[in-house]
Amino acid sequence: MSNIMNSLYNMRILDDLARKETAIHKIHPLVKLLTTVSYLTVVVSFGKYDIGGLLPLLIYPSMVFALAELPVKPIFMRILLVSPFMIGIGILNPFFDHQIYLLGGKEISRGWITFLSILIKSGLTVTAALLLIATTGMDRLAGALRMLKIPRVFVLQLLLTYRYISVLMEEVARTLRAYSLRAPEQKGVHRSAWGSLAGQLILRTFDRAQRIYEAMCLRGFTGEYHTGGFKEIRVWELAYLAGWVLFFAAARIYNIPMVIGSLITGVIR
Amino acid sequence: MSHHKLEAKDLHYSYPDDHEAVNGMSFCIYHGESVGIIGANGAGKSTLLMLLMGVLFPSQGEVCVGDVHVTKKTLSMIRQRLGMVFQDPDDQLFMSTVYDDVAFGPRNYKLDEKEVEKRVLHALELVGILHLKDRAPFKLSGGEKRAAAIASVLSMQPDILLMDEPTAALDPKSRRRVMELLTSFKHTKIITSHDLDMIFEICDRTIVIKNGEIAADGTTSEILVNAELMDKCGLEVPLALQNCPVCGIKKG
């Protein structure tokens, strides 16, 4: 029970973090969105055996973490939340892909390489997405999506889902609290109550959602979600975008660890 | 100023399960009046507010704000002039900061961002929570949430304020603060509540509702002391007017 309340508060940490005022937070949301999208594109474009090439891309999340003064732990915990999916997708690779791959003189199955590459890629993409939310906030992000002319139905859906998750979880927490107080001997919810509990919950959530929607309509909501005006994109923000895009492109075209390695070995020779 | 007048003419409304919640109500509320709407649970108070705001439409009869009928076409204009504060502030506060929440209404009316800021700050200042503007609504206390909900309506600069149980679930000090706030507003006020002491202090006029009909409509000082009427409608005389629990002496 307390877990649900905790995760509710934890969930809102991203909103709290987004309210900081560091240099990264002040960057125009559209610029951050485009940077993230180009980062994601580059990360997923790497081949499935190409782990070395992915490594330089670690620089981007590390820089954002540092510059935006974000705590690593809560964001890392969220990445762990999706880790079962990542493992689920990749775990069978070592069994199916038996070809031998030589790594530093040792033979390993190529399946392990692809598994590792899936883990790294999903880790990097999820981190980048979380960093975007933690430095921008959902409302401003939605504003940026609207600037890109994403249809308002989709943007609204995204925003309201994000908002209603907490509404639903509050209802869950309240219902479970009431249940557990009258069923002190039980661990969790007995299966005989699952149906009615879930049913109650969905009805209550409908009611709640209806009231929130009415409150929105009463204040002039007509389907467009206004998040306030944005400032013009400044030159240094464009430079931020251009800088990262160039770096991502370079990391995609050249195998940077290999280049550095051969430079160093060249110097030594 | 006739355009601040709010008139209900022979309102009827039944819910889909045929429960008749409002059954022929008529009244007229004029500019600057503060009117308390009281009645037992299920008497039809909330339904009446919903009808006045145009969330529900009457099956018979009509609501007029000034000289404009509340219809789907006029809703946008009507809602700019009527501000409604919900019973549960959590239903009303859905944005990520208090500022954004109070700005939600003005932004929907496509005001210039500078004007939005001016209105938001003014509304927050009026209810005394300017210092909370960057906080997340869910982290506020009950009294602060109520103030934020009121500010979110004030920022739309309505002529008429409708409030559903504005003092419900507040501690005595917060309740007093909200009451002082309400008294300070010059708006036309329509307040539904079971807090009869609050109605007694704030409202000059009271409408008593029973089973979807108006049981009485008159000055608060006459209606709330009428023990027989109150009892008939499932209510009682405000505590402040009842016998002193310690010495038993009748007050008032």
Side-chain angles (χ1 to χ4, degrees):
Chain A
M1 221 299 297
S2 62
N3 284 344
I4 287 194
M5 279 322 266
N6 283 345
S7 47
L8 184 62
Y9 277 92
N10 286 338
M11 195 176 73
R12 283 156 164 170
I13 274 188
L14 288 183
D15 283 337
D16 288 345
L17 291 176
R19 248 169 267 132
K20 287 181 152 198
E21 293 226 339
T22 66
I24 296 279
H25 285 82
K26 283 181 192 153
I27 293 175
H28 197 282
L30 187 58
V31 170
K32 278 185 280 190
L33 178 65
L34 291 176
T35 312
T36 309
V37 169
S38 49
Y39 179 75
L40 298 184
T41 318
V42 169
V43 169
V44 295
S45 74
F46 274 92
K48 56 181 177 178
Y49 303 115
D50 198 357
I51 293 181
L54 280 171
L55 295 178
L57 292 171
L58 273 170
I59 293 176
Y60 170 69
S62 324
M63 289 275 277
V64 175
F65 262 120
L67 290 175
E69 297 166 16
L70 296 175
V72 177
K73 198 180 158 202
I75 300 209
F76 186 70
M77 296 299 277
R78 273 163 190 73
I79 302 171
L80 283 187
L81 269 183
V82 288
S83 61
F85 298 100
M86 308 178 190
I87 295 171
I89 292 168
I91 192 65
L92 291 176
N93 285 14
F95 300 101
F96 290 123
D97 195 347
H98 281 303
Q99 293 195 32
I100 300 300
Y101 192 85
L102 274 177
L103 190 76
K106 281 191 178 166
E107 290 179 1
I108 53 168
S109 144
R110 282 214 305 198
W112 284 110
I113 303 285
T114 53
F115 180 44
L116 192 62
S117 134
I118 288 176
L119 281 191
I120 295 179
K121 276 188 195 171
S122 39
L124 289 179
T125 45
V126 172
T127 312
L130 287 174
L131 286 178
L132 176 65
I133 301 174
T135 56
T136 314
M138 217 43 165
D139 294 343
R140 275 178 287 175
L141 195 59
L145 286 171
R146 284 296 289 142
M147 281 180 172
L148 288 177
K149 304 278 177 230
I150 307 280
R152 72 178 186 192
V153 182
F154 296 125
V155 177
L156 199 64
Q157 198 123 38
L158 180 75
L159 265 174
L160 292 187
T161 312
Y162 187 70
R163 277 281 147 253
Y164 281 132
I165 287 174
S166 55
V167 175
L168 175 67
M169 284 175 72
E170 272 167 28
E171 295 288 356
V172 173
R174 233 176 283 162
T175 315
L176 286 187
R177 189 185 296 140
Y179 181 91
S180 64
L181 286 177
R182 286 187 290 156
E185 300 280 294
Q186 286 179 28
K187 262 191 178 176
V189 177
H190 192 263
R191 66 187 142 76
S192 62
W194 285 0
S196 55
L197 214 65
Q200 277 294 324
L201 209 59
I202 194 160
L203 289 178
R204 275 213 238 170
T205 317
F206 281 167
D207 268 355
R208 186 79 187 264
Q210 181 73 32
R211 286 202 302 275
I212 294 182
Y213 177 67
E214 275 163 12
M216 291 169 86
C217 286
L218 290 184
R219 287 195 275 155
F221 178 75
T222 50
E224 184 70 88
Y225 202 85
H226 301 278
T227 44
F230 285 119
K231 288 176 190 141
E232 295 275 297
I233 299 179
R234 286 160 292 184
V235 179
W236 71 270
E237 289 170 328
L238 280 179
Y240 173 88
L241 174 63
W244 278 120
V245 170
L246 281 178
F247 172 73
F248 300 151
R252 182 70 193 90
I253 297 166
Y254 306 105
N255 189 336
I256 294 178
M258 192 111 83
V259 173
I260 296 175
S262 51
L263 266 180
I264 294 174
T265 46
V267 169
I268 292 171
R269 268 181 216 152
Chain B
M1 285 213 254
S2 69
H3 62 281
H4 288 181
K5 188 177 76 173
L6 178 72
E7 193 173 5
K9 294 178 193 163
D10 192 28
L11 287 186
H12 284 78
Y13 183 81
S14 314
Y15 280 101
D17 60 0
D18 283 339
H19 165 62
E20 204 155 345
V22 173
N23 192 7
M25 288 191 195
S26 299
F27 53 83
C28 189
I29 292 169
Y30 296 97
H31 176 67
E33 267 192 301
S34 47
V35 181
I37 295 183
I38 59 174
N41 288 330
K45 301 184 298 288
S46 298
T47 313
L48 176 63
L49 283 190
M50 293 295 157
L51 288 170
L52 295 181
M53 290 300 296
V55 173
L56 302 174
F57 288 98
S59 47
Q60 194 189 319
E62 60 184 9
V63 178
C64 294
V65 179
D67 301 318
V68 184
H69 295 257
V70 177
T71 60
K72 282 203 169 124
K73 275 189 187 156
T74 56
L75 269 190
S76 165
M77 198 267 278
I78 297 285
R79 286 175 176 173
Q80 217 169 349
R81 294 167 57 183
L82 299 184
M84 167 142 172
V85 181
F86 279 55
Q87 181 172 353
D88 183 354
D90 278 322
D91 291 341
Q92 209 165 346
L93 305 171
F94 40 80
M95 302 287 278
S96 48
T97 65
V98 172
Y99 182 97
D100 281 335
D101 230 306
V102 179
F104 182 81
R107 278 177 183 159
N108 278 333
Y109 283 98
K110 306 218 168 54
L111 296 177
D112 175 55
E113 195 59 25
K114 270 195 188 135
E115 172 68 17
V116 172
E117 187 182 350
K118 208 175 90 187
R119 284 195 181 195
V120 173
L121 297 182
H122 182 63
L124 288 175
E125 210 173 342
L126 267 182
V127 298
I129 54 162
L130 190 56
H131 57 290
L132 298 176
K133 71 180 167 66
D134 294 320
R135 294 269 294 275
F138 70 92
K139 285 189 176 166
L140 304 181
S141 73
E144 290 167 343
K145 273 187 194 170
R146 184 78 54 172
I150 295 176
S152 72
V153 167
L154 288 182
S155 64
M156 306 197 23
Q157 301 188 341
D159 304 320
I160 303 173
L161 276 177
L162 288 90
M163 309 208 185
D164 196 358
E165 296 274 5
T167 52
L170 290 186
D171 63 53
K173 281 265 157 37
S174 310
R175 169 179 174 271
R176 182 52 62 188
R177 221 169 292 133
V178 167
M179 283 167 64
E180 281 165 8
L181 196 63
L182 296 186
T183 320
S184 70
F185 294 152
K186 299 287 169 255
H187 302 79
T188 307
K189 291 182 282 271
I190 300 171
I191 302 172
T192 71
S193 186
H194 291 134
D195 183 351
L196 300 180
D197 289 84
M198 183 265 291
I199 298 281
F200 192 71
E201 274 187 46
I202 295 182
C203 302
D204 321 318
R205 177 178 161 194
T206 299
I207 297 175
V208 187
I209 294 179
K210 189 189 174 195
N211 297 335
E213 291 172 27
I214 294 182
D217 179 354
T219 54
T220 304
S221 52
E222 281 172 15
I223 286 189
L224 289 189
V225 294
N226 186 340
E228 195 187 335
L229 171 72
M230 291 285 105
D231 190 55
K232 213 172 68 188
C233 298
L235 302 163
E236 61 176 18
V237 172
L239 294 174
L241 301 179
Q242 291 182 18
N243 293 353
C244 169
V246 179
C247 55
I249 297 173
K250 193 167 171 60
K251 293 183 192 170

